[in-house]
Amino acid sequence: MTRRGAAAVLAVLLLVLGGAGQAQAVGYRYWSFWDLSGGSWTYATQGPSTARPSDGDVQGFRFAVSEDSSRATKPRTKPDFDAVCGGTPARDGRKRIALVLDFGTAADAPSGQ
């Protein structure tokens, strides 16, 4: 192959490879973490390993597909604390925290699960 032929093959390869876009993920499957405040879910500013909820707080997790945290899917249930833990009396040195687990929808599940 001549130099001119090799240069032409290289140019074609660069055009083909350079023009191919990178694959983009539609979203991420993950458990988002939420706090119930004033009757509305808000995306938690801390993760569950560093959050320090108070007695009477409600926290939630939702498994879903989301592009990023600004578009994360909220838990579908909005209980108040009394609906979940109202029958549990307060005790010194203990915290009562209601926890909501939303396992998402069939569309959120990985294929075959």
Side-chain angles (χ1 to χ4, degrees):
M1 183 179 284
T2 67
R3 283 186 188 200
R4 182 176 274 176
V9 169
L10 182 57
V12 168
L13 280 174
L14 287 174
L15 285 172
V16 169
L17 294 176
Q22 293 181 331
Q24 299 271 334
V26 173
Y28 301 97
R29 280 186 178 87
Y30 71 104
W31 285 96
S32 56
F33 183 52
W34 301 83
D35 293 313
L36 191 66
S37 177
S40 296
W41 288 114
T42 57
Y43 196 80
T45 58
Q46 297 183 47
S49 66
T50 58
R52 298 293 178 255
S54 298
D55 183 63
D57 283 352
V58 179
Q59 296 182 318
F61 288 90
R62 168 72 193 261
F63 186 80
V65 178
S66 299
E67 264 183 62
D68 55 41
S69 62
S70 68
R71 293 186 177 103
T73 307
K74 298 176 183 181
R76 293 172 285 177
T77 302
K78 292 183 183 179
D80 61 23
F81 177 79
D82 289 333
V84 178
C85 298
T88 304
R91 292 183 9 193
D92 286 341
R94 302 281 180 135
K95 293 181 184 181
R96 299 165 301 152
I97 296 128
L99 185 62
V100 173
L101 297 176
D102 185 337
F103 292 91
T105 65
D108 295 328
S111 179
Q113 296 188 20

